[in-house]
Amino acid sequence: MFNTVPQMLFEKAKNIPTASVQYAKNKAGTFEPVSYIDFAQQMFYFASGLITLGNGKNDHVGLISDNRKEWLVCSMGIMALGCADIPRGSEATVKDLSYILSFSESKTVIVENNYSFKKIIECRGDLKTLQNIVVIDPTGVDKTLIDVPVYTYDEVIEAGKKYRTENPGKIEEILNSGKEDDIATIIFTSGTTGVPKGVELTHKNFLCQIKALTEILPLKPGDKSLSVLPIWHVYEREMEYYLLANGCSLCYSKPVISMILADFQKIQPQFMACVPRIWDGIYTQIEKKAVNKSKSRKILFKLCTGAAKGRLRIRAVIYGRNARYRKDFWLFKILNKVLYIPLVFLLPLVYVGELVFFKKARDVFGGCFKIAVSGGGGIAPKLDRFYNAIGLRLVEGYGLTETAPMVTLRSYRRPVLGTIGRPLDYCEIKIVNRHGVDCAPGQLGVLYVRGPNVMKGYYNQPELTEEVLQDGWFNTGDLVVRTVTGEISIKGRAKDTIVLRSGENVEPLPIENKLVESPYIAQAVVVGQDQNCLGALIIPNKDNLKKYAEENNLAAEPFSALLKSDEVYDLIFKELERLVTPKTGFKPFEKIGKFAFIEKPFEIGIELTAKGTVQRFKVQELYKWQIASMFSESVFAQGLSSFTGNLKDLGNKTSGLLHKR
């Protein structure tokens, strides 16, 4: 039995030594396999090489890299030595790297290439514990630019080989001494103030999930997974550990739709774990290929997919697989059987759809696809229904970095669409209202999680740990409701974190604080949950904008007309682009892509608390039309839909002035 992730990998290598653990592209774009036993040897070489650099048990090693086969070797080698990796992608800002690597007291830092190496040089003065740097791809790297030793990945491997020859069995001894409660990784995630929090995850946090995932997902040894998510994100990481434990193969691609579609055909995978943004992009390509610029085919496609979705809904009701928040009256159970009648009328269109569209849509995934998991943000109901209606098994899961991450996963055998499934059997949940009382099915409350998957705590931040983790219960900060059959539906976030469709987590407060530095912005609220980009509700600085209008020979009155002018539109977008950039400490995905003006200043008791703090959930409700329109493809269509469904609301609300890129 194994206690750590590297022990699990080594045991698998002994059982299936020649099976392929990885497929990575060479320079020609061809996938080349790596066997389990060869990978295990590389893991031992790298771990041994780290010893020669002065690393030992409980040390922290920075790992700054994007997806590549060497990443997993480095991470496994770090953990095999009893160290913890401190991972981040190569796009991390210098500010983030400075804080993360110094706060974690990392002795050795591994970087992917010269791009990341230069960032370490820039923040070198803050890295007091830094002793070594390892570069995976040394192209263009000038080792003389920094005052600590710089080694290449290959040099560390060679040093490890020599160490293994001189110290036979030593690294295996260290590997076998690992305990399940040892820290495997510290993944830093931004806090509500923008200060990163280091989530300490143990080997047990990861390994406890494997059995439950194995029972749910229908994969077997030899199956292939297309890996496109950032490998250092906890979601991708746990999925890869599950796949390795089951003798599957990891096939590395990139989150670019054209590349993913091409790699589906090359590798013919059985599985992919992904985020809503990717599923959206794949759907767009499927639809584009299906209609082929033909109006008649477009109409037929919509009719057939509509019929398939209708069949899916009806079958869900008949078999009790719809999200229900109260028990059915006995008469409803009888009436449900009547739904077999409209189901019969839908079948011809579904059959036509299968012949003309659906099989071809499934073939996009390579022809061998079994199941997919969506996570890292809520998937749009339209996409959820489409994929499941055409016969592609897509299940949605839920979790956080602090829960390593899986808490729930929808069953593919009895899926309840519109939910994130039931809690996995290794953890328990409770849903409580603001008074601390347990919620009945259908009642909104905050989700708490307890189990072996919950983090040890935030590294060196006991006060923050105590805020969210008490008596083993972790406060997720998410607002949910439970169905009568035990599934969970996410309804919102009690905390402010915004999760984009790409799975990136964004803290709005630092961005908002930066935006109000503009002389033309009085207040801003950042939005964008489950969207492709961030948006902002902006209260303009009326006096300064009028002054700008006068200086530029624009009509300042009426003010609403001024806000609709192209000149003001361009002015505000230039301000957004000037203030929120990597140079000012923000990541590329934190830029504001859309905005809407709110003319009326926020008021205490309406949008603001007595202390003057923005009540985000009230803002979301009060300005839901403006937010929905901001992210819709057609403002008019969205406005018309909202108008017909919310006439009463529209009569009481301030009109939003909408702007998009």
Side-chain angles (χ1 to χ4, degrees):
M1 185 60 184
F2 45 82
N3 294 315
T4 70
V5 175
Q7 288 175 13
M8 175 270 290
L9 187 281
F10 186 43
E11 181 174 306
K12 189 59 60 175
K14 290 186 290 185
N15 293 336
I16 51 170
T18 60
S20 296
V21 63
Q22 290 177 310
Y23 284 86
K25 289 181 184 176
N26 56 25
K27 292 182 179 180
T30 303
F31 282 94
E32 293 183 338
V34 177
S35 70
Y36 271 83
I37 193 63
D38 287 344
F39 181 90
Q41 287 296 339
Q42 292 293 307
M43 173 183 75
F44 285 143
Y45 291 149
F46 194 81
S48 300
L50 288 177
I51 294 176
T52 68
L53 300 186
N55 294 279
K57 189 173 178 63
N58 298 324
D59 280 348
H60 296 159
V61 179
L63 181 49
I64 316 303
S65 173
D66 295 326
N67 292 25
R68 56 188 304 146
K69 64 180 182 180
E70 294 91 349
W71 191 100
L72 194 60
V73 174
C74 293
S75 179
M76 286 287 185
I78 292 167
M79 293 187 292
L81 189 55
C83 302
D85 62 53
I86 314 296
R88 209 67 171 182
S90 63
E91 291 299 329
T93 65
V94 173
K95 180 181 177 182
D96 274 353
L97 293 179
S98 176
Y99 179 84
I100 290 167
L101 297 174
S102 61
F103 189 76
S104 64
E105 300 178 301
S106 296
K107 291 174 60 177
T108 295
V109 174
I110 303 164
V111 296
E112 181 175 8
N113 49 32
N114 192 37
Y115 177 66
S116 300
F117 177 67
K118 289 180 178 178
K119 293 182 180 181
I120 302 301
I121 294 173
E122 194 170 339
C123 64
R124 169 67 183 102
D126 299 324
L127 308 182
K128 307 302 182 184
T129 59
L130 182 63
Q131 296 179 7
N132 305 284
I133 297 176
V134 178
V135 185
I136 298 174
D137 178 2
T139 304
V141 169
D142 185 348
K143 298 181 180 182
T144 65
L145 295 178
I146 198 164
D147 61 345
V148 295
V150 179
Y151 304 92
T152 68
Y153 173 86
D154 290 339
E155 288 172 343
V156 175
I157 291 291
E158 289 304 314
K161 290 180 179 178
K162 182 178 179 182
Y163 181 90
R164 292 260 286 158
T165 301
E166 296 173 352
N167 301 273
K170 181 62 178 178
I171 193 62
E172 287 88 347
E173 180 184 335
I174 295 173
L175 173 75
N176 292 330
S177 68
K179 306 298 182 185
E180 63 179 12
D181 290 327
D182 290 345
I183 302 298
T185 183
I186 302 176
I187 300 177
F188 279 81
T189 180
S190 297
T192 55
T193 62
V195 177
K197 298 174 293 186
V199 180
E200 294 182 297
L201 297 176
T202 67
H203 292 272
K204 183 179 181 180
N205 291 152
F206 290 116
L207 294 175
C208 72
Q209 304 177 52
I210 290 174
K211 180 181 178 182
L213 292 174
T214 301
E215 292 173 351
I216 291 177
L217 300 175
L219 299 180
K220 65 180 188 302
D223 282 347
K224 300 173 185 175
S225 168
L226 198 66
S227 298
V228 301
L229 298 178
I231 197 170
W232 64 273
H233 279 200
V234 70
Y235 171 32
E236 174 70 15
R237 194 159 173 163
E238 176 58 39
M239 286 292 99
E240 292 199 1
Y241 294 161
Y242 150 72
L243 292 163
L244 295 177
N246 284 276
C248 300
S249 304
L250 308 175
C251 309
Y252 298 118
S253 186
K254 293 186 181 296
V256 178
I257 300 302
S258 59
M259 187 176 295
I260 290 173
L261 295 179
D263 289 343
F264 275 140
Q265 302 307 314
K266 288 180 182 179
I267 207 72
Q268 297 183 325
Q270 284 76 28
F271 177 77
M272 182 172 73
C274 214
V275 293
R277 177 176 59 85
I278 300 299
W279 297 120
D280 195 0
I282 293 174
Y283 168 78
T284 300
Q285 293 301 313
I286 289 174
E287 183 182 38
K288 183 179 179 180
K289 185 177 179 180
V291 302
N292 196 25
K293 298 181 181 180
S294 166
K295 290 185 178 180
S296 58
R297 284 182 65 87
K298 184 176 182 180
I299 293 171
L300 183 61
F301 179 75
K302 288 186 177 296
L303 286 172
C304 292
T305 54
K309 291 176 184 178
R311 180 184 66 167
L312 189 70
R313 288 193 184 97
I314 291 173
R315 286 171 60 87
V317 174
I318 292 173
Y319 295 109
R321 298 176 188 171
N322 55 324
R324 292 168 290 131
Y325 301 102
R326 62 181 65 182
K327 291 185 177 179
D328 288 341
F329 183 55
W330 65 269
L331 183 60
F332 291 163
K333 296 180 180 179
I334 297 175
L335 292 176
N336 285 348
K337 306 304 179 185
V338 178
L339 291 173
Y340 278 112
I341 297 173
L343 181 62
V344 171
F345 289 100
L346 292 175
L347 291 179
L349 271 176
V350 174
Y351 180 71
V352 171
E354 177 66 22
L355 290 178
V356 181
F357 302 115
F358 302 159
K359 185 181 183 302
K360 292 179 181 178
R362 294 194 301 271
D363 288 343
V364 165
F365 294 85
C368 299
F369 211 74
K370 291 183 178 179
I371 193 166
V373 174
S374 180
I379 189 170
K382 168 188 172 181
L383 298 176
D384 199 3
R385 290 194 293 267
F386 171 78
Y387 284 116
N388 282 281
I390 68 169
L392 186 95
R393 293 172 174 175
L394 178 77
V395 297
E396 189 171 12
Y398 163 83
L400 306 96
T401 304
E402 289 89 342
T403 57
M406 303 300 293
V407 174
T408 69
L409 186 63
R410 189 195 301 161
S411 168
Y412 81 90
R413 293 184 179 89
R414 293 184 56 84
V416 178
L417 270 63
T419 76
I420 52 172
R422 299 179 184 179
L424 294 163
D425 60 14
Y426 49 77
C427 65
E428 55 182 320
I429 68 163
K430 65 178 180 180
I431 304 170
V432 300
N433 62 23
R434 60 181 178 176
H435 304 296
V437 178
D438 289 347
C439 295
Q443 294 181 336
L444 187 68
V446 177
L447 178 66
Y448 286 75
V449 180
R450 183 168 68 180
N453 60 316
V454 174
M455 67 171 181
K456 184 175 182 179
Y458 294 123
Y459 177 70
N460 275 356
Q461 293 176 306
E463 68 289 344
L464 293 180
T465 301
E466 190 174 350
E467 286 180 12
V468 298
L469 192 58
Q470 295 182 355
D471 298 325
W473 286 103
F474 173 69
N475 180 353
T476 68
D478 287 314
L479 297 173
V480 305
V481 294
R482 178 167 30 200
T483 69
V484 293
T485 49
E487 292 83 12
I488 307 297
S489 291
I490 299 287
K491 297 299 182 182
R493 300 183 71 84
K495 54 187 179 181
D496 299 334
T497 305
I498 295 170
V499 182
L500 297 174
R501 283 189 181 178
S502 62
E504 300 288 359
N505 290 267
V506 179
E507 300 301 336
L509 187 59
I511 302 174
E512 291 161 356
N513 290 340
K514 193 66 179 177
L515 293 180
V516 296
E517 292 181 10
S518 168
Y520 306 110
I521 299 174
Q523 196 163 10
V525 176
V526 175
V527 296
Q529 178 68 29
D530 295 330
Q531 300 296 336
N532 287 324
C533 69
L534 294 177
L537 297 173
I538 292 176
I539 297 176
N541 186 310
K542 197 169 186 177
D543 293 338
N544 286 346
L545 272 180
K546 285 187 174 182
K547 184 178 179 180
Y548 174 83
E550 292 171 2
E551 293 173 348
N552 290 272
N553 299 317
L554 301 175
E557 297 292 346
F559 188 63
S560 59
L562 176 64
L563 295 182
K564 293 178 182 178
S565 69
D566 290 341
E567 290 83 358
V568 170
Y569 167 88
D570 292 337
L571 172 68
I572 296 301
F573 258 132
K574 286 178 182 177
E575 289 294 279
L576 299 179
E577 292 173 344
R578 176 180 67 85
L579 293 166
V580 184
T581 70
K583 290 183 179 180
T584 56
F586 294 96
K587 302 175 183 67
F589 59 81
E590 291 179 314
K591 68 180 181 179
I592 305 298
K594 308 169 189 286
F595 73 89
F597 280 126
I598 304 296
E599 278 194 65
K600 179 185 74 69
F602 289 166
E603 298 177 48
I604 290 177
I606 302 179
E607 297 95 343
L608 307 177
T609 66
K611 295 181 180 179
T613 305
V614 173
Q615 299 182 90
R616 295 183 185 276
F617 293 107
K618 284 194 175 181
V619 170
Q620 292 274 355
E621 178 62 25
L622 289 169
Y623 302 103
K624 60 186 177 183
W625 183 85
Q626 289 90 335
I627 295 171
S629 299
M630 192 190 308
F631 291 107
S632 70
E633 290 302 318
S634 168
V635 175
F636 175 77
Q638 181 65 46
L640 181 62
S641 174
S642 180
F643 178 78
T644 56
N646 301 281
L647 283 173
K648 188 174 181 180
D649 287 345
L650 287 173
N652 297 325
K653 290 196 170 44
T654 302
S655 175
L657 304 168
L658 308 172
H659 299 282
K660 305 181 182 182
R661 288 191 187 279

